[in-house]
């Protein structure tokens, strides 16, 4: 644990070498990167730090702030400074890609590169956004998160996870390595509802900043992603970023489970002096 200006951030660190930071998507915790094998794969040659984003896992999300990608990036940047981490490659999955992008905009001189997996980058209609607005409203959301939401989330969990992985199968031990009871806690349900409810507003503002990116970016998406349209988001961002590299793989939304070795290679390329210069 590390306390940063009143926010307790939980992280897991392993390995030695050029630093890599891992930022998970919505609804899960840092253990998602352990379940995929990516954490251990990277730790063979890198100093790897995986965070629970604010409000997820064991990290706190204090009230009174709108935890936008930019605000989360600011706090994680402070944590990295406290940990003595300089010029990491930042890997973000799904919602975590927005935090990674914000880190690249805020501190380009201190980021070696970004590896963005299955991201949602542009404002497009999402059915789940209005459905999560009540859960994000203080007071109303608190009642829902301590009554009906855990029950509904428990019934829907396996179907949601299958959709996340489709068309690939769900690993047998996924809900053991990524503890389901952590995913269903009221505090984490609140954080997930907030991130979902404000995601369109977040990308509407952030898309104006993409052109400012000065760091190399590798974009990886599953061609069969049923959660985020890879053409409308990943391919479009690649066209907008002249320094980016695009990799489409045969997978669904959870590409880090499908191709961890390819993602590790992308990190290696950006963390090397030649790759960073390119």
């Amino acid at each position: 644990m590390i306390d940063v200006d009143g926010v307790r951030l939980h992280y897991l660190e392993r390995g030695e070498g050029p630093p890599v930071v891992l930022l998970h998507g919505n609804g899960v915790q840092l253990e998602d990167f352990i379940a995929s094998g990516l954490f251990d794969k990277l730790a063979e040659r890198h100093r790897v730090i995986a965070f629970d984003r604010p409000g997820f896992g064991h990290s706190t999300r204090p009230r009174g702030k709108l935890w936008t990608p930019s605000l989360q990036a600011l706090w994680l940047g402070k944590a990295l400074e406290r940990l003595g981490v300089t010029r990491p490659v930042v890997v973000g999955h799904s919602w975590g890609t927005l935090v990674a992008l914000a880190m690249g905009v805020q501190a380009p001189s201190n980021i070696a590169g970004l590896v963005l997996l299955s991201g949602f980058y542009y404002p497009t209609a999402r059915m789940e956004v209005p459905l999560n607005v009540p859960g994000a409203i203080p007071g109303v959301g608190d009642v829902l998160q301590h009554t009906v939401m855990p029950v509904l989330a428990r019934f829907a969990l396996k179907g949601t996870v299958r959709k996340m992985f489709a068309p690939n199968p769900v690993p047998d031990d996924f809900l053991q390595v990524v503890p389901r009871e952590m995913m269903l806690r009221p505090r984490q349900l609140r954080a997930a509802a907030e991130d979902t409810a404000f995601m369109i507003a977040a990308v509407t503002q952030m898309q104006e900043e993409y052109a400012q990116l000065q760091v190399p970016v590798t974009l990886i998406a599953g061609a069969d992603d049923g959660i985020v349209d890879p053409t409308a988001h990943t391919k479009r961002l690649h066209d907008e970023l002249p320094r980016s590299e695009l990799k489409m793989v045969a997978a669904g939304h959870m590409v880090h489970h499908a191709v961890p070795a390819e993602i590790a290679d992308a990190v290696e390329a950006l963390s090397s002096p030649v790759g960073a210069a390119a």
Side-chain angles (χ1 to χ4, degrees), residues 38-207:
L38 182 60
F39 185 92
D40 289 337
K41 182 70 176 176
L42 289 170
E44 295 172 4
R45 302 187 64 177
H46 295 269
R47 178 189 180 188
V48 185
I49 301 172
F51 282 100
D52 280 333
R53 292 193 293 105
F56 295 91
H58 297 288
S59 294
T60 60
R61 178 180 288 210
R63 304 272 188 164
K65 299 180 185 296
L66 183 58
W67 286 95
T68 63
S70 295
L71 188 62
Q72 294 187 38
L74 179 64
W75 249 261
L76 291 168
K78 292 179 180 180
L80 292 175
E81 184 178 356
R82 290 266 304 276
L83 293 171
V85 177
T86 59
R87 291 192 57 76
V89 173
V90 182
V91 180
H93 173 248
S94 196
W95 214 96
T97 62
L98 299 180
V99 183
L101 281 165
M103 293 174 74
V105 171
Q106 290 175 7
S109 63
N110 195 38
I111 301 294
L114 304 177
V115 178
L116 307 178
L117 313 173
S118 306
F120 177 85
Y121 309 115
Y122 298 96
T124 55
R126 304 283 302 184
M127 182 179 65
E128 67 269 29
V129 170
L131 293 176
N132 277 272
V133 169
I137 299 174
V140 175
D142 293 320
V143 173
L144 294 174
Q145 288 139 20
H146 287 84
T147 54
V148 298
M149 284 182 64
V151 177
L152 294 176
R154 185 177 298 275
F155 277 112
L157 182 60
K158 288 187 177 180
T160 300
V161 171
R162 282 196 297 269
K163 185 176 179 181
M164 288 162 52
F165 278 90
N168 305 95
V170 179
D172 292 338
D173 63 347
F174 178 75
L175 289 175
Q176 284 73 51
V177 180
V178 186
R180 76 178 70 201
E181 299 306 324
M182 293 287 286
M183 299 168 69
L184 298 171
R185 291 178 310 154
R187 189 177 71 185
Q188 184 152 320
L189 290 174
R190 175 169 66 89
E194 289 176 354
D195 281 3
T196 302
F198 299 120
M199 63 190 296
I200 293 178
V203 296
T204 299
Q205 179 180 355
M206 289 185 65
Q207 66 178 339

Side-chain angles (χ1 to χ4, degrees), residues 242-254:
R243 297 189 65 186
S244 68
E245 182 178 351
L246 174 64
K247 297 178 184 291
M248 286 287 186
V249 299
H253 191 63
M254 305 293 274

Side-chain angles (χ1 to χ4, degrees), residues 239-267:
D239 293 339
E240 189 174 335
L241 298 178
R243 297 189 65 186
S244 68
E245 182 178 351
L246 174 64
K247 297 178 184 291
M248 286 287 186
V249 299
H253 191 63
M254 305 293 274
V255 292
H256 50 307
H257 288 262
V259 291
E262 288 190 35
I263 295 169
D265 289 343
V267 170

